[in-house]
Amino acid sequence: FRRAPTNNLNAYDSFLRGLEYYLHYMKETNTQARQMFEKAIELDPKYAGAYMGLGATYWLEWVLQWSSDSQNLERAFELTQRAIALDDSLSGPHVLLGDLYLAKKQYELAIAELERAIALDPNNAFGYSDLGNILTFAGRPEEAIGLVEKAIRLDPHYPAIWVWMLGHAYRLAGRYGEAIAAQKRA
């Protein structure tokens, strides 16, 4: 059996509410998600998933340029590394850390984190999509295609950005017809 992420049900409830807000990928809901993840941490300061969630809100704010705060990327790094220090067996923080390394163009570190995430949870669709995305940016689009396709197969409710990632990899691999079809789908 998989162990519970926290023994504090109120912290877990706050985490789940934060996740629900986060997955809307909107500035207003990201702020609400941050508040929920902060509450979860307040209720259980050793809750690794809550630190990952909080770090993800800073990453999303940085990547979508909702704020001019130059410290958001560093905050995301610190919180994600704290999550890993608390529980290195969780796949999610390794996925996020890989994305953060991609933002810094540290491709080998990014690839290593995503490979670790997949080793920890071979069914983590985000691990495959994000590893594919990183391999595309690292100049290895042919390898990326199969990974993003696998992510799409694993998650029937995949986000449209994954189809864009697939199209991007096809384009850089010189497979233009498939790239156009994927981008139209996205």
Side-chain angles (χ1 to χ4, degrees):
F1 293 109
R2 199 178 135 96
R3 61 184 171 74
T6 177
N7 291 326
N8 186 319
L9 291 179
N10 290 325
Y12 187 53
D13 181 65
S14 294
F15 170 81
L16 290 175
R17 291 173 191 271
L19 188 58
E20 174 66 25
Y21 286 129
Y22 177 80
L23 291 174
H24 287 348
Y25 302 112
M26 296 170 39
K27 185 176 182 178
E28 299 76 21
T29 57
N30 195 57
T31 300
Q32 292 170 305
R34 185 173 295 161
Q35 292 166 352
M36 290 290 100
F37 293 134
E38 287 170 343
K39 183 177 178 184
I41 290 168
E42 182 182 311
L43 293 166
D44 182 355
K46 294 185 181 196
Y47 188 0
Y51 284 95
M52 177 202 65
L54 185 57
T57 67
Y58 285 103
W59 174 81
L60 191 62
E61 187 171 297
W62 178 84
V63 81
L64 295 178
Q65 300 178 356
W66 291 331
S67 167
S68 60
D69 188 342
S70 62
Q71 294 303 307
N72 280 342
L73 194 60
E74 287 309 313
R75 282 188 196 104
F77 258 101
E78 291 165 12
L79 290 161
T80 305
Q81 289 169 330
R82 174 84 171 129
I84 291 171
L86 286 167
D87 190 346
D88 188 44
S89 71
L90 297 175
S91 178
H94 289 284
V95 171
L96 181 56
L97 190 56
D99 292 336
L100 293 166
Y101 281 130
L102 173 61
K104 292 187 170 195
K105 296 186 172 109
Q106 295 176 318
Y107 301 125
E108 293 309 312
L109 291 172
I111 291 166
E113 287 300 325
L114 268 298
E115 288 174 343
R116 172 89 172 123
I118 291 168
L120 288 168
D121 182 0
N123 291 314
N124 185 334
F126 284 92
Y128 292 101
S129 69
D130 292 14
L131 179 56
N133 191 44
I134 289 164
L135 287 173
T136 299
F137 281 100
R140 296 161 55 185
E142 282 293 343
E143 294 173 67
I145 291 166
L147 292 166
V148 178
E149 288 174 339
K150 183 169 187 168
I152 290 169
R153 281 193 311 273
L154 282 172
D155 186 347
H157 304 291
Y158 59 87
I161 188 81
W162 291 3
V163 183
W164 178 89
M165 289 175 185
L166 185 58
H168 185 223
Y170 280 137
R171 185 179 69 78
L172 293 181
R175 296 166 62 175
Y176 302 116
E178 292 162 296
I180 291 168
Q183 296 301 352
K184 285 181 178 180
R185 264 181 55 210

